Amino acid sequence: MKKYKKVSIEKEIVEEVYCNICGEKIAKNSHNHFEDFLHVEKVWGYDSKKDGKKDDFDVCQRCYEEWIKTFKISI
Ligand SMILES: [Zn+2]
């Protein structure tokens, strides 16, 4: 038989997100969820010049639309 007790666990939650391109805060909708945005995480491989470095950034929808217009090959 197991007896249980309740414990409180502290955890980190994302409070704010900023677009790395324009610096603006990603807005939250009426349900307190962030409006959709692009999040990129990349751990560079050993053969790259960044060897194991982790990059991550966030891009708002407006900047994303402008960014993809600069692509030589459209998506
Ligand atoms: Zn932006």
Side-chain angles (χ1 to χ4, degrees):
M1 176 189 165
K2 295 178 180 173
K3 289 186 175 181
Y4 294 91
K5 68 176 181 179
K6 290 187 177 180
V7 296
S8 297
I9 298 172
E10 188 175 352
K11 67 176 185 176
E12 287 189 330
I13 60 169
V14 177
E15 186 175 25
E16 296 176 330
V17 180
Y18 290 86
C19 172
N20 283 80
I21 293 177
C22 70
E24 295 291 318
K25 191 187 322 186
I26 305 293
K28 287 187 174 180
N29 63 24
S30 58
H31 301 290
N32 207 32
H33 292 123
F34 291 106
E35 290 181 356
D36 209 1
F37 60 95
L38 174 69
H39 176 72
V40 176
E41 284 185 32
K42 169 67 178 167
V43 178
W44 295 93
Y46 294 115
D47 293 338
S48 75
K49 292 177 182 172
K50 294 184 167 231
D51 192 7
K53 183 179 182 296
K54 180 184 170 196
D55 286 340
D56 68 282
F57 60 90
D58 302 297
V59 179
C60 72
Q61 291 180 53
R62 184 171 49 84
C63 290
Y64 175 79
E65 293 300 328
E66 294 302 314
W67 184 30
I68 63 173
K69 287 178 189 171
T70 68
F71 291 4
K72 296 266 192 222
I73 300 171
S74 61
I75 57 173

